[in-house]
Amino acid sequence: MDLGNLGSLAYFWPELVLVATILVVFVVDLFVEDKERLGDLALAGAGLSLLAASRQFGGETGWLFSRMIVLDPFAVFFKVLFALAAIAIVWMSLDSREVRSFRSQGEYYGLLLTATLGMYLMAAASNLLMAYLSLELLSLVSYVLTGYLRHDRRSGEAALKYLIYGGVASGTMIYGMSWIFGLTGSMDFAAIHAELFSGSPDRLTAFVALVLVLAGFGFKIAVVPFHMWAPDVYHGAPIPVTAFLAVASKAAGFALAIRFFYPVVSEMAGDGTWKFLAGLDWPQLLLVLSMVTMTLGNLAALSQQNLKRLLAYSSVAHAGYTLMGLVVLSDEGLRAVLFYLVVYYLMNLGAFLVVMIVANATGREDIDGMRGLAWRGGAAPAVAMSVFLFSLTGIPPLAGFVGKFYLFAAVVERELYFLALVGVLNSVVSLYYYARIVKTMFLDFPEAGDGTVRVGLHSGSLLWGLVAGTVVLGVYWAPVVGLVDRSLRFWIG
Amino acid sequence: MDHLLSSMTFIPLVGVAIILLLPRQAHNAIKWTAVAATTPPLVLAVWLYLNFDRTHPGFQFVERAAWIPAANIEYHMGIDGVSVTMVLLTALLCFLCIFASWGIDKGVKGYFALFLLLDTGMMGVFCALDFFLFFVFWEVMLLPMYFLIGIWGGPRRVYAAIKFFLYTLLGSALMLIVMLALYYSVEPHTFDMTKLMEAHGSLGRLSMWAWLALFIGFAIKIPAFPFHTWLPDAHVEAPTAISVILAGILLKMGTYGILRINYSIFPEETAQLAFWCLAALGAWNIVYGALCAMAQKDLKKLVAYSSISHMGYVMLGMASFTPQGINGAVLQMFNHGTITAMLFLLVGVIYDRAHHRDIDGFGGLASVMPVYTGVTAVAFFAALGLPGLSAFISEALVLLGSWGRYPELAIVGASAVILTAGYMLWALQRIYLGPVNEKYRNLPEINGRELFTLLPLAAIVVVLGVYPHAVLDLMRLSLEQLNQTVLVHF
C-alpha cells in the first residue's frame, strides 16, 4: 500500500486526534478560568488517540503521504506506548505542585501533546527528512518544557544546556544524513536500503555517515558519550517533564534507532536473524557503547544525592542495558528491547511519580528528603518505590527482572558472554544505590521537621496501577511478549 | 496429594496476604495468622516424611504446568532424597521460628509478612525443578532477608543487610548467565533441570567456567572461604529467629545447589574440580572456621563461625564420592540445621535477659538457670560431635568417606574436632560454670515458649544420634544415583 496525501488521512487518525486536541487546548486556554479542566481535556485527547492507535493493530500496513511515513505493527506498538505515556504524564501533572504553579497550563498540556505527536512521527518515519523533522519537533518542545519553571534558575540553565547539546547533536546527525544522501542518492529508507545492498557504496564513507547519524539517536537515548545533558536536564526540569523525557523520549529514540539500524542498514537473513552490511560493523560499535554506557551510568549514580540526578544516571545505565538488545542482530534482541521499554515505562515512571509525591509534600528531591518515609504517613509510596527500585535492579519476581532476563538471554544466545557478564555485574552495582534509597525510606527514622506525606487521588491511583503492572508482569508476562512478537514486523515494501 | 509441594510453598504466601489485610495494631491476630500459615506445611511435611517412597531414587510428588510457553518456562516442582530432608528442615524451623519471634513488638505486621514470604522462597528453592523457577525463588528470599536484618536487626544492621544482599546478588548474577547458557545449549531450549541433567552440560569448553560460576554463586551462600565475610556480620545483627533461618536453612542452599546443579548437570567438571574447590576448601573451612570461633568474645559470633567450620564437613563429605561421605554430608546438612538452630535460639534466650552476648560477661549461670543450662549442654555437646548425638554420626560418616579418597584431608578434618571441642567447652565453662556472676543472680529461668522452640530440636538431635536411619533412609538411593553420575568420570 502506497498512499498519497488525501488517501493517507484515513490511516492517520491517532495523529489527527492529537493535532485537534492540541489546537482545542490552546484555544480553550484563552477562555476558561478553571485551568485544571485543560488537563482533563488533554487526557481525553490522549485517550482517544490511544484508542485510535490501538485499533490499528493487525490492520493494513503500507506507506502514507507518499512514502514519508510508514504504517506497520512496529510503529503502532510505539504509538500505543507513547499514548500511554502521555496519559500517565498528564494524569501525574494533575497532582503536581510544579504544574499547578504554571500560569499557562494550557500551553503546558498543549506542548506535552505536541511532543507526543513528534514521537508518533519518529516511530513511523520512513524518510530521512521525516526522521529529522519529527526528532526536531520532539526536541524543540522538550527544550521548552524543560525550562518551564520560569523562576527557577536551574530550570532555565537545564533548558539552555539541553538546547545547545541538542543543537549540536542534531546538526551532527543531519550532516551524517547528507552523507547518506550523497552515497545513495535518496532519502527514502527503502531506497537507501536497496542502494546500500545492491550498489557498492564506499564502506568507510558509509561507516562515518552511520556514526554521525548515531550522534542524533545517541543523544535522545542518552548513550555515552552523548549523555552529558541528562543529569542536568533531568534535575532542572519539572518532575512530570523529567519522567516524560526519561520514559517516552528515550523510547522514541530507540524506535527510530531500531528502524534505522535494522530494516534500513541491515538485511533480514530469515530465521529471525539479521545481517549487517559487510564491512559496516556497527554492532561492534554499539557493543562497546553499551558496556561503557552501563558502567559509567552506574558508577556516576553511586555518588548522587539528588534523586532526579540519580535516576538520570540510572537511566543512562538502563540505556546501556537496552542497547545490548540492539547489538545481537536477532529478532530475540529486538523483542527484548521492546519488552524492556514496556517494563521500563512502568518502573521508571513509577519511581519519578514517588519522587513527585514526596516533592509535593516536602519540596525536597534529595535522598535525605525520603528519610523514614515509611514511618511518616508515606508507607504506600515507600513500598511502591521499593517495588520500582528492586525492579530496576532486576530482582524477580518483578517486571524489571523479566526485561533484563530477555536482554541477557538474547546476548547469551549469541555467545557474547563477556557482555552478559558486564551487564550482570552492573546490576549488582546498581543495587547499591537503589538499596540506599530503600534504606533511607525504611531503615532510617524521620527526624523532627520531616513533614508528613499524603498521596493525592490522581497520583495514588496511578501509583497502584504502576505497582500492579510491575508485579503482574514479573509473574506472568506471556501476553506482553506475544504482543511484542506481533509488533516486530517492519513494512519494507 | 497432587499439589503437596505447591501447598507447602504457597500456604505461607496466603498468610502474607491475610496479614497485610489485618490492622496494624492487631499483634496477636497477626502472630496467630503466622502460626496458622506455617502449621499446614509442617503437618504436610510429616505426612511427606511418612509417605515418601524410600525405594525410589528419582523425583516424587512431581507437579508441572506451563508457565510461559513461548520461552518454554515451566512450573515444575518435585523432590528426591536430597531435597526431602531440606523440605522437612524448612517446614520445622519456620514453624518454630514464628514462636521464637513472639517477642517482636516493632513493626509486627511487616515482620511476620516478610517472614512468611521468606518461608515461601526457601521452600520453593528446595522443590523447584525448573531452573528459572529455582532462580526466581532463590532471589525472592533476598528481599525479605534484607528488610528483616535491616529493620529488626542490631546496631550495625544496615551495613550487614546490604552486605548480605550484595554478596548474594553477585552470586545469583553469575548463576543467571550459566542458566541462560544452559538454556541455549539444549534443543529444544529448556530450563527443565531433569532434561539439562540428561544433556550433561553440553557447553563444551565453557563447561569449566560455568561450573566455577555456579560454584561461586553457591559458595557465597555456604559460605566458603573467601566468600564468607558477610556471614558473621549478618548473623550478629540479625534478630534471633532470622539468625536461625540463616544458619539453619539458607546456608544449606549453597551445598544443596552444588549437589542439585553442579553435580548432576556437570558431573565431568565436578570430578575434575571437586578436590580443590570442595574437598581442600572444605578442610580449610573446617580449620579456619574453628580457629576464628575460638577467638570470638561474642557468643553469637562464635556460633556463626562454628557454622563455617561445620559446613566445611559438608563440603568435604560431598567431595569424597563414597556412599558414606555423601550420605554423611547431607545428613550433616540436616543435623547442622537443627543444632545450629538450637544454638542461636539459646543465644537469643540470654540476650533477651542480659542484653549482651559477651562470653566473659557471664559466669555460673548453671546454678541460676539450671533448665536452660541443661538444654544448652545438649546443644553444645551435639555441636562438638559427642557420640550419641546427631552430629557425631554425620561427621563420622564424612570422615569415614573422605578417608577412602583423601586420607590427608580426613586427618585434617578429624583433628579439627579437637578445636571444636576446645571452643565449645571453653565457652560452656566461661558462661555456665565457675562462681556466679552477682549481676545475673536473678536472671529468670527459660520460659515455656522458649522451651517449646527448643525441645523438638533437642529430641531430633538425640533420636538421630541413636537412630540416624530415620533420615538416612530417605536419601540413600537418590544420593547413590547422584554419586554414580559423577563417579563414572573419575
Side-chain angles (χ1 to χ4, degrees):
Chain A
M1 181 169 86
D2 186 357
L3 294 174
N5 286 347
L6 281 179
S8 302
L9 289 177
Y11 298 94
F12 207 53
W13 278 111
E15 290 84 351
L16 289 177
V17 171
L18 269 190
V19 172
T21 316
I22 294 164
L23 296 176
V24 171
V25 168
F26 279 139
V27 174
V28 173
D29 190 20
L30 302 174
F31 300 108
V32 295
E33 284 297 308
D34 183 7
K35 301 292 185 194
E36 308 236 328
R37 294 276 144 257
L38 292 167
D40 298 340
L41 205 59
L43 202 61
L48 281 177
S49 176
L50 171 69
L51 210 64
S54 51
R55 282 173 58 90
Q56 290 182 333
F57 263 124
E60 285 185 80
T61 53
W63 280 301
L64 306 182
F65 298 103
S66 316
R67 301 169 70 108
M68 289 303 269
I69 281 181
V70 64
L71 179 67
D72 57 10
F74 182 77
V76 175
F77 171 84
F78 275 99
K79 281 189 228 172
V80 170
L81 187 65
F82 299 146
L84 286 172
I87 291 172
I89 299 296
V90 173
W91 192 255
M92 190 172 159
S93 302
L94 291 174
D95 257 5
S96 162
R97 207 173 61 170
E98 285 167 329
V99 173
R100 286 216 191 127
S101 71
F102 297 158
R103 282 224 338 277
S104 47
Q105 287 195 22
E107 200 179 292
Y108 168 77
Y109 288 116
L111 287 174
L112 211 55
L113 294 186
T114 312
T116 314
L117 179 66
M119 296 175 189
Y120 275 27
L121 297 176
M122 255 169 99
S126 69
N127 184 298
L128 287 179
L129 196 61
M130 195 64 221
Y132 181 72
L133 286 175
S134 56
L135 193 122
E136 280 303 285
L137 176 59
L138 170 61
S139 298
L140 285 173
V141 178
S142 305
Y143 307 148
V144 179
L145 285 172
T146 302
Y148 225 86
L149 293 167
R150 264 171 231 167
H151 303 292
D152 188 341
R153 270 189 53 209
R154 234 177 40 199
S155 180
E157 188 188 319
L160 186 65
K161 253 184 192 159
Y162 200 10
L163 176 71
I164 294 172
Y165 275 110
V168 173
S170 60
T172 315
M173 180 173 77
I174 202 165
Y175 183 52
M177 285 177 170
S178 69
W179 281 44
I180 294 179
F181 178 70
L183 270 174
T184 62
S186 175
M187 295 203 281
D188 183 84
F189 280 0
I192 293 173
H193 177 85
E195 183 59 32
L196 282 177
F197 278 84
S198 62
S200 52
D202 181 49
R203 296 293 189 243
L204 182 65
T205 317
F207 191 70
V208 173
L210 273 195
V211 173
L212 292 173
V213 173
L214 180 66
F217 304 147
F219 173 75
K220 271 276 158 274
I221 57 185
V223 171
V224 174
F226 314 108
H227 70 291
M228 257 81 108
W229 58 275
D232 292 319
V233 170
Y234 282 28
H235 189 184
I239 299 172
V241 174
T242 310
F244 194 53
L245 292 180
V247 172
S249 172
K250 182 164 281 195
F254 269 108
L256 187 52
I258 291 176
R259 200 182 277 289
F260 183 76
F261 279 111
Y262 277 79
V264 180
V265 301
S266 311
E267 198 160 43
M268 214 184 287
D271 70 330
T273 59
W274 296 73
K275 277 199 321 251
F276 59 88
L277 193 58
L280 207 64
D281 197 352
W282 56 265
Q284 205 63 31
L285 179 71
L286 289 192
L287 182 134
V288 176
L289 284 188
S290 157
M291 290 199 283
V292 175
T293 301
M294 57 178 117
T295 311
L296 221 77
N298 273 325
L299 293 182
L302 284 176
S303 57
Q304 300 304 320
Q305 285 307 320
N306 182 287
L307 282 168
K308 280 155 84 185
R309 287 187 87 83
L310 187 146
L311 288 174
Y313 278 113
S314 114
S315 96
V316 170
H318 282 272
Y321 299 135
T322 318
L323 218 47
M324 290 197 299
L326 246 65
V327 307
V328 293
L329 284 166
S330 67
D331 280 351
E332 298 257 312
L334 292 183
R335 178 207 293 156
V337 172
L338 262 52
F339 186 81
Y340 200 73
L341 290 173
V342 174
V343 301
Y344 187 68
Y345 164 89
L346 292 171
M347 57 197 185
N348 217 33
L349 207 59
F352 277 112
L353 181 61
V354 176
V355 174
M356 188 191 85
I357 289 171
V358 175
N360 273 348
T362 63
R364 297 182 67 172
E365 297 170 349
D366 55 338
I367 293 186
D368 277 344
M370 307 282 273
R371 186 170 44 218
L373 182 61
W375 317 107
R376 49 182 168 116
V383 170
M385 187 68 160
S386 312
V387 169
F388 298 135
L389 293 173
F390 286 129
S391 177
L392 282 165
T393 316
I395 292 176
L398 300 168
F401 166 69
V402 183
K404 276 192 184 167
F405 169 77
Y406 275 108
L407 285 171
F408 290 133
V411 169
V412 169
E413 193 197 12
R414 282 310 180 92
E415 303 189 345
L416 298 167
Y417 296 111
F418 187 69
L419 179 60
L421 190 67
V422 173
V424 294
L425 291 183
N426 264 295
S427 300
V428 179
V429 174
S430 73
L431 171 68
Y432 187 77
Y433 59 82
Y434 291 133
R436 193 153 62 103
I437 304 175
V438 176
K439 177 213 131 196
T440 316
M441 291 188 302
F442 283 95
L443 312 191
D444 293 352
F445 293 100
E447 290 170 11
D450 291 341
T452 51
V453 171
R454 298 262 293 282
V455 185
L457 182 68
H458 287 107
S459 28
S461 50
L462 181 58
L463 191 67
W464 290 119
L466 293 170
V467 168
T470 310
V471 174
V472 170
L473 271 192
V475 182
Y476 189 69
W477 59 93
V480 179
V481 170
L483 179 73
V484 166
D485 265 338
R486 287 196 298 283
S487 307
L488 263 183
R489 307 235 197 301
F490 302 97
W491 171 259
I492 309 174
Chain B
M1 282 298 170
D2 282 345
H3 299 290
L4 178 80
L5 299 178
S6 296
S7 316
M8 290 178 77
T9 308
F10 291 109
I11 286 173
L13 202 60
V14 177
V16 175
I18 296 173
I19 285 179
L20 289 181
L21 295 175
L22 288 171
R24 193 174 305 158
Q25 302 308 328
H27 288 187
N28 274 325
I30 291 170
K31 287 171 184 170
W32 284 108
T33 309
V35 174
T38 46
T39 310
L42 182 63
V43 174
L44 291 173
V46 173
W47 190 91
L48 180 67
Y49 176 76
L50 298 174
N51 289 277
F52 187 81
D53 183 355
R54 289 152 172 80
T55 60
H56 178 61
F59 292 102
Q60 306 181 26
F61 303 98
V62 173
E63 295 170 38
R64 23 181 7 152
W67 180 8
I68 306 292
N72 211 357
I73 297 172
E74 283 188 314
Y75 176 80
H76 187 185
M77 309 270 267
I79 49 173
D80 66 352
V82 189
S83 24
V84 70
T85 50
M86 293 297 112
V87 168
L88 297 176
L89 187 66
T90 309
L92 176 68
L93 289 186
C94 284
F95 174 76
L96 293 179
C97 280
I98 294 291
F99 292 95
S101 311
W102 215 258
I104 297 279
D105 51 5
K106 170 179 102 175
V108 176
K109 186 170 164 172
Y111 180 91
F112 285 95
L114 288 168
F115 188 93
L116 293 179
L117 183 61
L118 183 66
D119 188 356
T120 293
M122 296 186 297
M123 200 63 99
V125 165
F126 292 126
C127 295
L129 284 183
D130 183 280
F131 207 158
F132 191 91
L133 187 65
F134 177 90
F135 188 82
V136 169
F137 280 126
W138 180 278
E139 299 271 287
V140 161
M141 290 166 344
L142 293 184
L143 296 177
M145 213 50 177
Y146 173 73
F147 287 109
L148 286 168
I149 299 177
I151 299 180
W152 288 273
R156 285 171 72 244
R157 56 185 203 267
V158 174
Y159 170 77
I162 190 70
K163 193 168 174 182
F164 164 80
F165 202 168
L166 281 175
Y167 260 86
T168 323
L169 191 70
L170 174 70
S172 36
L174 295 174
M175 205 193 302
L176 177 66
I177 297 184
V178 177
M179 176 173 112
L180 289 169
L182 279 172
Y183 173 74
Y184 285 110
S185 73
V186 288
E187 285 292 341
H189 302 332
T190 182
F191 289 107
D192 187 336
M193 286 194 205
T194 50
K195 295 210 181 85
L196 293 173
M197 289 170 195
E198 285 160 24
H200 275 331
S202 39
L203 284 179
R205 66 197 163 79
L206 282 169
S207 297
M208 193 80 94
W209 293 108
W211 195 96
L212 284 171
L214 285 173
F215 174 74
I216 292 175
F218 294 130
I220 288 173
K221 258 294 194 303
I222 293 177
F225 181 91
F227 310 109
H228 66 287
T229 59
W230 62 268
L231 177 101
D233 287 310
H235 269 310
V236 171
E237 302 307 326
T240 300
I242 302 309
S243 296
V244 172
I245 296 290
L246 251 178
I249 306 171
L250 284 187
L251 305 194
K252 310 301 173 298
M253 286 182 184
T255 43
Y256 172 79
I258 293 177
L259 283 173
R260 170 68 70 239
I261 296 172
N262 286 43
Y263 272 47
S264 51
I265 299 182
F266 296 106
E268 205 179 328
E269 285 68 30
T270 306
Q272 287 169 27
L273 294 165
F275 175 74
W276 286 110
C277 291
L278 287 169
L281 198 59
W284 169 252
N285 261 14
I286 295 172
V287 178
Y288 173 85
L291 288 175
C292 287
M294 197 171 274
Q296 299 309 318
K297 292 195 173 69
D298 182 321
L299 185 57
K300 208 170 180 186
K301 257 193 170 154
L302 180 142
V303 179
Y305 276 109
S306 85
S307 284
I308 296 181
S309 174
H310 285 125
M311 290 305 285
Y313 285 103
V314 181
M315 292 169 73
L316 181 60
M318 275 163 63
S320 71
F321 303 107
T322 52
Q324 301 91 339
I326 205 158
N327 275 298
V330 179
L331 184 61
Q332 169 77 354
M333 281 161 69
F334 186 85
N335 289 341
H336 176 255
T338 47
I339 295 168
T340 206
M342 280 183 84
L343 291 173
F344 277 116
L345 290 170
L346 290 161
V347 174
V349 170
I350 48 167
Y351 183 72
D352 282 347
R353 287 163 174 68
H355 302 293
H356 74 87
R357 296 177 299 245
D358 205 357
I359 298 176
D360 291 321
F362 295 99
L365 280 190
S367 52
V368 182
M369 306 167 71
V371 182
Y372 171 71
T373 310
V375 185
T376 312
V378 175
F380 272 48
F381 285 125
L384 64 83
L386 193 76
L389 298 173
S390 60
F392 170 72
I393 313 270
S394 48
E395 283 175 22
L397 279 173
V398 163
L399 295 173
L400 203 64
S402 50
W403 186 272
R405 196 167 294 275
Y406 325 106
E408 314 81 5
L409 294 177
I411 292 171
V412 174
S415 332
V417 172
I418 302 169
L419 293 179
T420 313
Y423 66 78
M424 281 292 176
L425 292 176
W426 195 28
L428 198 63
Q429 183 212 341
R430 283 182 287 171
I431 298 177
Y432 301 96
L433 307 177
V436 178
N437 186 338
E438 288 306 320
K439 223 162 113 193
Y440 299 118
R441 172 159 297 284
N442 297 318
L443 229 47
E445 177 61 283
I446 187 167
N447 63 33
R449 177 177 60 79
E450 287 159 343
L451 271 179
F452 175 73
T453 59
L454 285 160
L455 290 182
L457 296 171
I460 291 174
V461 168
V462 175
V463 169
L464 285 186
V466 184
Y467 186 66
H469 284 287
V471 171
L472 281 175
D473 279 351
L474 286 175
M475 58 205 195
R476 196 172 44 85
L477 284 179
S478 301
L479 284 174
E480 211 163 86
Q481 198 185 40
L482 186 62
N483 202 16
Q484 281 308 320
T485 59
V486 181
L487 268 183
V488 295
H489 293 284
F490 268 102

